[in-house]
Amino acid sequence: MKKKNHFTAEPPNMSNIGEANALIRELWTKLREYEDRLAQNSRNSSRSPASDTPQARAERQKLNALVAEIRLALSQATKGTADH
């Protein structure tokens, strides 16, 4: 089964601010879901302690950094649209 690609090569071109805001809300919700999943480990979920390998922790750290970058970019983008 092929993995679904959520993003295209180029960002979508929104024809109005309402469409852009809807897309931002959708992406923000998805980002929150990813953050919640990244925050889980064997201490705060039903996952086994074996799932907390050093490699898994390192991967979560990389993903957390990426999530922080995305959150910052979304924050700056929404701030820019609120000024107009």
Side-chain angles (χ1 to χ4, degrees), residues 22-39:
L23 178 62
I24 289 169
R25 280 191 298 277
E26 179 185 341
L27 293 172
W28 197 265
T29 301
K30 186 60 86 173
L31 179 62
R32 288 298 314 248
E33 290 173 16
Y34 290 144
E35 286 177 322
D36 292 344
R37 286 175 44 195
L38 284 171

Side-chain angles (χ1 to χ4, degrees), residues 14 46 52:
M14 297 290 128
S46 61
D52 287 339

Side-chain angles (χ1 to χ4, degrees), residues 15-62:
S15 61
N16 66 46
I17 194 72
E19 289 178 6
N21 285 334
L23 178 62
I24 289 169
R25 280 191 298 277
E26 179 185 341
L27 293 172
W28 197 265
T29 301
K30 186 60 86 173
L31 179 62
R32 288 298 314 248
E33 290 173 16
Y34 290 144
E35 286 177 322
D36 292 344
R37 286 175 44 195
L38 284 171
Q40 291 183 352
N41 60 39
S42 65
R43 291 183 181 192
N44 62 9
S45 71
S46 61
R47 292 174 37 194
S48 71
S51 67
D52 287 339
T53 64
Q55 294 85 3
R57 284 192 298 272
E59 185 65 23
R60 274 198 307 274
Q61 286 177 338
K62 288 180 195 175

